Amino acid sequence: MISAASGRGKLYGVLKDLRVKWEELETKWNDPVRKDFEKEVWEPLLTQAQRAIRAMDRLSQIMMQMQNECQ
């Protein structure tokens, strides 16, 4: 059975790694282009990834409930 938790774990791990890399990059890249990238790409990406993680958490709960009800 495919688990929402495994996909969530992968996404969470990749997001965590990206945040570390972004924090390293921020100290070296401080110009208007970076600020535009942060506003137009980075922040929306974080928001979408966080929403996906929350949705996967909810889906996992629903799948567990379904499994319990079918037993």
Side-chain angles (χ1 to χ4, degrees):
M1 182 172 158
I2 297 175
S3 168
S6 65
R8 183 222 189 265
K10 288 178 186 177
L11 181 56
Y12 182 83
V14 168
L15 185 59
K16 184 178 176 181
D17 292 345
L18 280 173
R19 282 182 173 172
V20 169
K21 295 292 183 185
W22 179 254
E23 288 173 7
E24 292 172 6
L25 184 64
E26 276 184 308
T27 62
K28 299 172 187 166
W29 183 26
N30 191 16
D31 65 7
V33 174
R34 186 212 35 107
K35 291 175 183 172
D36 186 51
F37 178 86
E38 183 173 29
K39 180 181 174 188
E40 300 296 324
V41 177
W42 179 246
E43 290 174 359
L45 176 68
L46 285 178
T47 300
Q48 290 173 358
Q50 291 165 343
R51 286 180 183 162
I53 289 170
R54 285 192 301 272
M56 290 176 177
D57 288 342
R58 180 68 182 129
L59 180 59
S60 183
Q61 292 172 354
I62 291 168
M63 291 172 66
M64 285 195 297
Q65 181 180 356
M66 286 173 44
Q67 185 177 9
N68 290 338
E69 290 176 4
C70 291
Q71 291 178 350

